[in-house]
Structure formats: structure tokens, C-alpha cells
Amino acid sequence: PLAHVWLQATVYRGSSTWTQHALQQLRSQQPLPLWVPTATNPFFCLTENVKGPANRIHSPTNSHRGTTMKTAAVFALLCLFVSVVLADDPTVSLPGVHDLTPDNFDSIVNGAKHALVEFYAPWCGHCKRMTGEYKALGEMIKGDAKLSSRVVIAKVDADAHRSLGERFGVRGFPTIKYFARGKPVNADGAQPYEGARTSDKFLEFIKAKLDEDKGFARVEEMDKIAAKFVAAGADKASVLKEAEKAAGKVAKDVKDNAKLYVTVMKKAIEKGDEYFTTELARLERMIGGGSVSASKVDEMSRKSSVLSAFTDKPEAAKSEKDDDDDVDEE
């Protein structure tokens, strides 16, 4: 056991091996450099300019045991302080979190996915305190293929890259902006996040936005044809031909999604209308199981979104049923 703690006013600049060096010094009862971080250099010893004999606490007798324990406690607190300082640096790379600059912002936050972006300044105390929560959020998104296929978590040093802060109307730090999928990436389209700055609340906010956007792969022109396909007494073969013709005319950026409508209609003709609900349930189970690749999750999510066009209850039918219920109650 470490019976002695010796402190000496010397400098030790080997930050990466400081812990190993300290243990070796303690075990051999040699002077231990006092490592105290400063604002400019977390590995700079504040006692560098101290001169004179070293201050040592070395007696194992009972009269010095209390002092030894106090010194050990101070040493432990110093190590804890340093770890906290380093952990709260908002500039460090975080798992699952993109670091944005003017060069890559538009290629990452481009409307293809939902995005939550933190605009921070390295000196901001609130930004530092939020670093751990943002790291936890990035890890949660990265670890869930269903979420990572639809969501971007990012941060930008708006002090170093002020053009980005000005572009999105950032006036203080941290400022957190949400960019919805399919919406313009500009100051008007950026929604301020005003909830609690914890990983759980961030995730809750994101999931709510995803729930609102379950139809992200839906195509308006094809939705109308889907409603015809599932209508009672529909000539499904005729509706399928209409869908194939419409899918060839839609805009290029939604053409792949439009083709999915045709694919699932063909399957429904082969297997019956129950295919829509059974296939949707199967895909949700697979996606939720976390056993498929990110690329497959994206494909399955798009298909699930299209299937919902065939399982959603038409608004007109809902209104009629509500009216009937009112009559029955009378």
C-alpha cells in the first residue's frame, strides 16, 4: 500500500504518462510532482517557480497520519478537477456528433435528415456544462440504427466560425437549433430548441419530431392513388397501371419513393390487402430489433412510410364516422 505521500515543488511536463510516473514515485517513496492545471495549460505545474527545499510529508507515525491523509485527499481532488476540466471541453470530438465548419455545414445539414445543431463558444460555461449531455445524446443516436438513419446531431464553434452563427441568427451561447427534414436550411427554417439541456430531453424532442414525420417518404400524387387502391370495390389492376404511369412522371428526388408504391401494390394484389398491415408490422419489428445495418434501416424506414399511405384512415372517412357517432349518441 501507499504508506507515504511526498510532495515536491518540481515540474513534470509528461502529461500522457503523469499517472504512471506518479505511481512509480509513490511506490518508491520518491518526491511526487504537484500537478495543478491552469487556464492556459492544464498540464503546467503552478509550482514551477517555487525555490528552496521540497516540502515533504513522509512520516508514517500517528502524529503525521492525519496530514498524510489530507494530502492524499488533496491529490485526489486535483486529479478529479483535471478530469472534469478536460471532459467539459466543448471543442473535443464526441461520438455520434458531427463537428461543423463553413466548409461542411451544407453537406451534412442539408434537409435530407432531421438535424439538431449546437452553436457554442469554447469559453462559455453553459456550453462546457452541456458537453457531457451532448456526448450522451450522440452515443444514443449512434447506437440506434433507426435514429441514426434519420437524424444528424452536430455542433459548431460559432466563436471561431462566426459566419455560421450570423447566418442562423445566433445571439448567445449555447444556441441549439433544430432543422426539420425536407425544410429549407436557413434562418427562417431553423427552430430554436428551448427545452431542458439534458440527453433525455434532447432525445424526447427528437423522437417527437420523428413521430410527426412518419410520412417522410410519402409522395402526395401517389397517396391519392393509394387511397383509390384500398377503396372498397376498387379495380386494383387498373389502379396499379395508373400508379406505374404516375411514378414515371414524379420529380427525380422522389422517384425512388414513388416506385415503392408500385412495388407494394403488386405485393398486395398477390397476397391480399392484409399485406399492408402485416408487412408494416414486420418491418417495425426488424427496425426496432437493432439487428440490421444502417443502410437497410433507411430502406426499411422508407418502405414503412409508404405502407402507411395504405393503412392510414382517410380524413373524410374519419369525419363521417365521428358524425355517425354523434348521431348515435343522440
Side-chain angles (χ1 to χ4, degrees), residues 105-128:
F105 191 101
D106 291 319
S107 63
I108 295 174
V109 183
N110 54 18
K113 295 182 179 182
H114 297 269
L116 193 69
V117 180
E118 176 201 7
F119 294 82
Y120 71 87
W123 43 260
C124 166
H126 292 296
C127 303
K128 292 178 180 179

Side-chain angles (χ1 to χ4, degrees), residues 16-307:
S16 62
T17 58
W18 187 89
T19 304
Q20 180 180 1
H21 170 78
L23 288 173
Q24 292 173 346
Q25 291 291 90
L26 287 168
R27 286 174 179 144
S28 61
Q29 297 186 14
Q30 295 299 310
L32 172 65
L34 179 59
W35 182 35
V36 183
T38 68
T40 57
N41 187 348
F43 303 113
F44 180 80
C45 180
L46 285 180
T47 57
E48 180 179 14
N49 295 323
V50 176
K51 297 181 179 179
N55 298 316
R56 297 181 177 181
I57 302 173
H58 54 82
S59 173
T61 63
N62 289 335
S63 62
H64 290 84
R65 198 175 303 278
T67 307
T68 301
M69 293 302 293
K70 289 179 181 178
T71 305
V74 170
F75 168 69
L77 287 172
L78 287 172
C79 291
L80 177 62
F81 173 76
V82 170
S83 66
V84 169
V85 168
L86 295 178
D88 288 349
D89 181 359
T91 66
V92 300
S93 295
L94 302 176
V97 179
H98 295 272
D99 286 294
L100 303 178
T101 68
D103 293 332
N104 68 4
F105 191 101
D106 291 319
S107 63
I108 295 174
V109 183
N110 54 18
K113 295 182 179 182
H114 297 269
L116 193 69
V117 180
E118 176 201 7
F119 294 82
Y120 71 87
W123 43 260
C124 166
H126 292 296
C127 303
K128 292 178 180 179
R129 284 189 287 275
M130 202 183 83
T131 300
E133 296 295 336
Y134 216 57
K135 176 184 178 183
L137 174 65
E139 290 172 340
M140 287 190 287
I141 298 296
K142 184 180 180 181
D144 188 323
K146 184 177 181 180
L147 292 175
S148 62
S149 69
R150 296 184 61 192
V151 179
V152 167
I153 304 299
K155 58 187 177 75
V156 53
D157 183 346
D159 191 41
H161 306 298
R162 297 191 179 187
S163 61
L164 288 176
E166 292 171 358
R167 176 180 169 185
F168 296 104
V170 174
R171 296 290 180 268
F173 303 110
T175 292
I176 304 165
K177 299 274 189 178
Y178 162 72
F179 298 85
R181 182 204 63 81
K183 301 295 183 181
V185 180
N186 55 34
D188 293 333
Q191 175 186 335
Y193 171 82
E194 298 175 343
R197 296 168 185 167
T198 66
S199 57
D200 289 341
K201 289 300 181 181
F202 285 141
L203 188 61
E204 183 180 307
F205 173 84
I206 289 168
K207 286 184 174 180
K209 292 299 183 182
L210 293 179
D211 284 341
E212 294 172 6
D213 190 38
K214 284 184 177 178
F216 74 97
R218 301 263 289 263
V219 181
E220 186 176 358
E221 300 95 311
M222 302 302 293
D223 276 359
K224 295 174 183 177
I225 300 173
K228 291 182 183 180
F229 189 87
V230 296
D235 181 350
K236 296 189 184 301
S238 176
V239 176
L240 174 61
K241 289 181 180 179
E242 181 182 353
E244 290 174 329
K245 185 177 180 180
K249 295 181 178 180
V250 298
K252 184 178 180 181
D253 60 337
V254 297
K255 193 172 289 291
D256 287 342
N257 292 341
K259 289 178 180 178
L260 280 175
Y261 284 78
V262 175
T263 299
V264 299
M265 284 181 189
K266 289 179 178 178
K267 284 289 184 181
I269 290 175
E270 176 186 339
K271 299 184 177 183
D273 281 357
E274 63 273 11
Y275 165 79
F276 297 124
T277 54
T278 57
E279 179 67 0
L280 183 59
R282 184 185 75 87
L283 292 174
E284 291 297 327
R285 283 196 305 272
M286 292 183 67
I287 294 171
S291 58
V292 293
S293 66
S295 60
K296 278 291 184 183
V297 167
D298 179 60
E299 178 183 330
M300 290 178 178
S301 295
R302 288 192 304 109
K303 188 176 181 181
S304 294
S305 178
V306 168
L307 284 168

Side-chain angles (χ1 to χ4, degrees), residues 312-323:
D312 283 353
K313 197 171 188 180
E315 291 299 321
K318 289 181 182 178
S319 299
E320 289 174 9
K321 183 177 185 306
D322 291 340
D323 292 341

